[in-house]
Amino acid sequence: MKIIVFGGDGFCGWPTSLRLSRDGHEVLIIDNLSRRKIDYKLGLRSLVKIQSISKRVQTWNKINKKKIKFLKIDTSKEYKKLEKAFVKFKPNAVIYFSEQRSAPYSMKNIHTMNYTIENNLLGNNNVLYLIAKYNKNCHFIHLGTMGVYGYEFSKQLVPEGYYNSKLYYNKSKYIKKKILHPADPGSIYHMTKAQDELLFQLYNKLYKLKITDLHQGVVWGFSTNETRLHPDLINRIDYDGDYGTVLNRFFMQSIIGHPLTIYGTGGQVRPFINIQNTTDCISLAIQNPPKKNKVRILNQLCEAKKIKDLALQISKITKAKYKSFKNPRIERENNSLIAKPIGLLNMGLNLIKISDEKLLEEYNFLKVNKINFKKKLIIPSSTWKIK
Ligand code: NAD
Ligand code: USQ
């Protein structure tokens, strides 16, 4: 298959591009390298040095039969260039990773808020428009987030995107309708993902596009079967307060002897998925497209865990101390979450759980590899406060 990976230089996009190439697909990466620019602006750097995109691609193309191509294009601003690339490549499927994906960064100030809205929504709209214009059968696979459901107390399984509902006009009159799970975002970033969902409904209603929206949980871990094949293929590792996700931050903190930074009570329950499983899920979604051209929503997680329990589990293995820090976010600090990747399990996904063995494996990998560490990046610099 011919596949465009938008955002293929990023944390999830790079290992996925390699995986799809290894699966035998013809892969074109389109990325504007904005993440590398944000790193530079904020003084961040991947914990382990990553190669430039040209070096990454060059090395991969030396060791793999199927070659990857790369084009530097901004999906939100460069429609004409995008159109040219789309028409020339003629993809059968596209994977859409290319969004500003940090919730804290999206709440930093009015500029990062607006940038996130503009970048995420316009980029999606441009690519959906191209698919509607040139090939309505091209499968659009989008990386969404479990965070659009919100984090309430619930004893019910979170549905995969939709409810069969009864909408009441009064006590006895109602209509039956299949509706999207109500959106309950907790940041501007999550709000863009909720808005993306409406874009998909609209493009499907008007132009019958074939769309899979993968509602992914918090990704943890760093390497995959493909990134391990050569040191030049190593994946980025974020550990700062904006882009480092919680478990990866805890790994780093254990190594440098910083107490694990539990925000508030640590009673937040979140969905988690290992990066290897991210690539597995996307590979499965491509092999199993929706039968009809519709918007299919799949929950992409392996398990739900309480932040405090994760800190305890890591501390048991690494002997790290942990501490409650003032929460920089506005969020519920106690919730419940029951969720399963039902659709992906039916396609054959093998879940990688947060086991002591797996945690130790990642911890040992970091111990021998840490090179770009800056202690001041541990304490979060973004808050939800209006300034
Ligand atoms: P990332 O920041 O590492 O990668 C995003 C990539 O997209 C970067 O390489 C960036 O340069 C590129 N990009 C951004 N805007 C672009 C634009 N307008 N044009 C072209 N390229 C652009 O993020 P990630 O962790 O790889 O996340 C990828 C996707 O997966 C995001 O949409 C995110 O919302 C989703 N997701 C990530 C996680 C996670 O824990 N990392 C969890 C759930 C969902
Ligand atoms: N947290 C801590 N200590 C830390 C960092 C985070 O206690 O040092 C807490 C946060 O307060 C939050 C939880 O851990 O309650 C998760 O935070 P996170 O930064 O790991 O993840 P989040 O902000 O939710 O965002 C990440 C990705 C985003 C993706 C989302 C999936 O950055 O792109 O959409 O996970 S989900 O959580 O399902 O929305």
Side-chain angles (χ1 to χ4, degrees):
M1 230 185 248
K2 296 179 89 172
I3 301 172
I4 300 184
V5 181
F6 292 101
D9 186 45
F11 172 62
C12 299
W14 175 242
T16 302
S17 302
L18 300 185
R19 166 61 182 273
L20 298 179
S21 175
R22 209 177 181 198
D23 282 353
H25 300 295
E26 198 177 319
V27 173
L28 166 65
I29 291 177
I30 291 188
D31 198 301
N32 65 351
L33 309 184
S34 54
R35 232 350 265 293
R36 293 183 187 244
K37 267 188 234 140
I38 291 176
D39 281 356
Y40 184 73
K41 262 204 239 154
L42 299 183
L44 317 175
R45 241 192 300 165
S46 162
L47 185 60
V48 175
K49 185 177 169 359
I50 52 168
Q51 294 296 346
S52 67
I53 182 70
S54 45
K55 179 79 180 163
R56 282 175 151 189
V57 167
Q58 193 186 45
T59 302
W60 178 253
N61 289 347
K62 272 190 201 147
I63 63 175
N64 196 60
K65 260 197 256 145
K66 283 274 176 190
K67 310 293 173 224
I68 291 181
K69 293 191 191 106
F70 166 68
L71 287 174
K72 183 167 179 271
I73 304 178
D74 187 321
T75 54
S76 69
K77 291 200 185 105
E78 298 184 298
Y79 176 77
K80 276 287 156 202
K81 267 193 179 175
L82 206 58
E83 182 173 37
K84 206 170 150 201
F86 191 91
V87 169
K88 187 165 175 215
F89 189 71
K90 297 189 175 52
N92 310 103
V94 308
I95 324 291
Y96 202 82
F97 289 107
S98 49
E99 297 192 27
Q100 190 303 100
R101 70 98 171 136
S102 156
Y105 184 78
S106 79
M107 299 303 291
K108 208 176 188 61
N109 56 50
I110 186 68
H111 306 293
T112 62
M113 282 177 158
N114 285 343
Y115 162 69
T116 304
I117 295 172
E118 214 175 280
N119 186 66
N120 295 3
L121 297 183
L122 296 187
N124 262 301
N125 190 48
N126 281 332
V127 174
L128 289 164
Y129 187 88
L130 284 174
I131 295 176
K133 184 168 175 181
Y134 291 106
N135 178 10
K136 293 192 179 60
N137 275 323
C138 173
H139 185 186
F140 181 89
I141 298 174
H142 173 259
L143 270 292
T145 172
M146 289 290 293
V148 295
Y149 299 131
Y151 295 113
E152 300 271 357
F153 257 103
S154 167
K155 300 246 175 291
Q156 304 301 321
L157 186 70
V158 178
E160 297 204 282
Y162 301 96
Y163 278 112
N164 287 318
S165 70
K166 287 179 180 173
L167 300 177
Y168 282 87
Y169 295 108
N170 56 38
K171 274 190 183 162
S172 55
K173 275 197 176 156
Y174 61 81
I175 50 161
K176 285 187 179 175
K177 205 167 163 64
K178 185 175 172 185
I179 55 164
L180 272 177
H181 185 294
D184 183 16
S187 71
I188 286 284
Y189 155 73
H190 286 96
M191 188 280 297
T192 65
K193 293 285 181 186
Q195 182 67 53
D196 288 343
E197 291 193 288
L198 290 182
L199 266 179
F200 304 151
Q201 294 298 326
L202 179 71
Y203 271 88
N204 179 260
K205 185 168 91 176
L206 301 183
Y207 310 112
K208 305 280 173 289
L209 299 199
K210 192 193 302 180
I211 297 172
T212 298
D213 194 10
L214 298 167
H215 284 196
Q216 185 169 238
V218 184
V219 181
W220 70 280
F222 325 109
S223 39
T224 64
N225 296 339
E226 286 74 35
T227 62
R228 285 188 208 100
L229 290 173
H230 192 285
D232 288 351
L233 305 176
I234 211 153
N235 198 13
R236 60 176 305 127
I237 302 177
D238 298 300
Y239 63 91
D240 63 284
D242 280 348
Y243 284 93
T245 48
V246 61
L247 200 44
N248 288 0
R249 276 167 59 72
F250 285 177
F251 279 126
M252 184 59 219
Q253 293 162 359
S254 302
I255 283 168
I256 61 146
H258 191 285
L260 309 184
T261 52
I262 297 173
Y263 294 166
T265 63
Q268 303 92 319
V269 180
R270 292 292 180 270
F272 286 90
I273 180 164
N274 183 270
I275 185 75
Q276 172 68 49
N277 267 166
T278 294
T279 67
D280 296 337
C281 290
I282 291 161
S283 175
L284 286 170
I286 289 176
Q287 289 166 49
N288 301 278
K291 297 229 159 50
K292 277 197 251 148
N293 286 10
K294 61 173 190 178
V295 185
R296 169 178 69 175
I297 298 176
L298 299 171
N299 292 342
Q300 183 166 311
L301 75 154
C302 294
E303 63 202 303
K305 288 262 188 185
K306 197 180 271 188
I307 302 300
K308 192 161 183 192
D309 291 345
L310 279 179
L312 287 171
Q313 193 180 354
I314 294 217
S315 156
K316 207 176 72 197
I317 296 167
T318 66
K319 308 286 172 265
K321 294 198 166 52
Y322 53 88
K323 206 171 119 182
S324 168
F325 285 75
K326 187 172 181 312
N327 197 336
R329 310 182 183 204
I330 301 174
E331 64 179 353
R332 288 181 198 100
E333 287 185 6
N334 280 295
N335 66 292
S336 57
L337 175 67
I338 307 172
K340 280 191 191 142
I342 298 166
L344 288 158
L345 284 172
N346 288 340
M347 292 175 200
L349 176 67
N350 287 317
L351 299 180
I352 299 172
K353 294 279 181 82
I354 308 177
S355 63
D356 290 358
E357 194 191 357
K358 193 71 193 153
L359 288 175
L360 198 62
E361 188 187 308
E362 297 284 15
Y363 176 67
N364 287 336
F365 170 84
L366 268 197
K367 249 165 99 178
V368 291
N369 272 299
K370 71 167 167 137
I371 38 178
N372 279 332
F373 175 67
K374 286 192 200 163
K375 193 165 180 182
K376 67 171 194 214
L377 297 177
I378 290 287
I379 297 304
S381 62
S382 302
T383 72
W384 267 231
K385 257 192 212 138
I386 299 285
K387 286 162 213 116

